Amino acid sequence: MIIRFSVCNYKVFKDETIFSFVATNYDKKTREDENVAHIESPSLRLLKNAVVYGANASGKTKLIDAFAFMRYFVVNSSKDAASSEEIDTDPFRLNTESELAPSSFELMFLIGEKLYRYGFEVTRKKVVTEWLYVQEKKREYELFYRGEDGVVSFDKKKFAAWQLIINANLVRNNALFITTLAQFNDELGIEVVTYFKENLKIISGLNEAGYKGMILSKLVDSDYKKRVMEFLNFADLGIMDVSRREIKTDFDDSDKVPQDIKEMIINDIQSQNLFTKHQVYDAEHAPADSRDFLMRKDESHGTQKFFYLTGPILESLMNGYTLVVDELDSRLHPNLVTRLISLFNSKEANPNNAQLIFNTHNSNLLDSKLLRRDQIWFVDKNMYGESKLYSLSDIKGIRKDEQFEQNYINGIYGGVPYLDDFINVRIDKTLNHENEK
């Protein structure tokens, strides 16, 4: 589970921005058994989901971009293809100092009973600093620290193999030390990089292409398909069955197409032949037959999105992963989104403490009976283009039984656009222009 994520000097976040999943004592009596995972060792109370609100261009998506950048760089920085590339970071560019300064990222997370704190600072040219700590018996220990001079400090007796990697000059300036360790089969490196790759899932609610394969490749598994059908019935989509008709998609062994591109092409081809089955009724509305519908042609965009979204949601719930979704509610009914949030809050549906993080404009979710104050976050941008992230529990004087939705719409919590009387201004200008003719 994620405990805390922080980012500094990346896109719209000029100053350090902290996204915490530690449940506050302020809300301790509110939905404590449902919305909070109680971790025995180390002793923690962690939120199972969090929602981020904000005006257009305030930074909601940029926050998820920060998650995505950190994950991608940890997983891929040491690959040969990246040896001569610049690091794809994007510092805050509306300030003369920050645009030349490094961007910083840090994630605190659990692997079993081990609590890790890992982070790095990067410019487009190089990794400036990098660090990894582990907490044992309520005390934090440094596993390694990579300084601005490129020197990596660590326990040379405990991690003797690391020195061999450094002496062989295998750690590039534009690559992370942790990724390099994983590349050379170091146990700790593999553990941390695997966490980012497998346990942290980041998807777009606006484009299903990136996660179609999660469900398409597993429909042949009868147990998995049963779970999928339960999920579709839960959404009341009227679908009796889903089937995929195989198409040969072999690539020539001599081709040089990257594996991830191959998989995307194969998934797109297979999705073209995905069928749903619907009940047909006679004149008396008695079941008579069934009809096959082509998913991409006959089903609504909302149904298609929910079907493909079923893959990462089921995977997260089954394995206890953290799922981060940009625009989760796009093309989905508000009631359905509410039920999805409830799934992650549920002890029965979410026994492995998966987490759901998403952004939205849907104010219907601001229900004190669904979410606690510490699960509701806002992004607000000031006149200098700098975004600030804060939770509802950070605002003093907010009662747990308030009308969160109405207060948010009225601008009491911030995170909404300031809309001047621009409609009348445009009309006035148009009328004046017409009168001049």
Side-chain angles (χ1 to χ4, degrees), residues 18-84:
I18 297 175
F19 199 10
S20 175
F21 300 90
V22 177
T24 64
N25 291 326
Y26 188 51
D27 281 284
K28 201 164 187 178
K29 295 182 179 180
T30 305
R31 299 188 62 84
E32 182 74 15
D33 291 338
E34 297 88 0
N35 296 29
V36 178
H38 293 260
I39 311 300
E40 292 185 7
S41 181
S43 180
L44 288 168
R45 296 166 50 246
L46 299 178
L47 300 170
K48 295 181 184 178
N49 52 51
V51 58
V52 181
Y53 285 89
N56 291 105
S58 63
K60 300 187 305 299
T61 295
K62 299 298 188 292
L63 179 66
I64 292 178
D65 288 347
F67 271 103
F69 171 81
M70 186 178 192
R71 179 189 181 277
Y72 179 85
F73 196 53
V74 169
V75 173
N76 297 286
S77 72
S78 69
K79 291 184 177 179
D80 291 339
S83 60
S84 60

Side-chain angles (χ1 to χ4, degrees), residues 428-437:
D428 290 345
K429 287 183 177 179
T430 302
L431 290 175
N432 291 338
H433 180 68
E434 291 296 326
N435 291 335
E436 289 173 1
K437 291 183 179 180

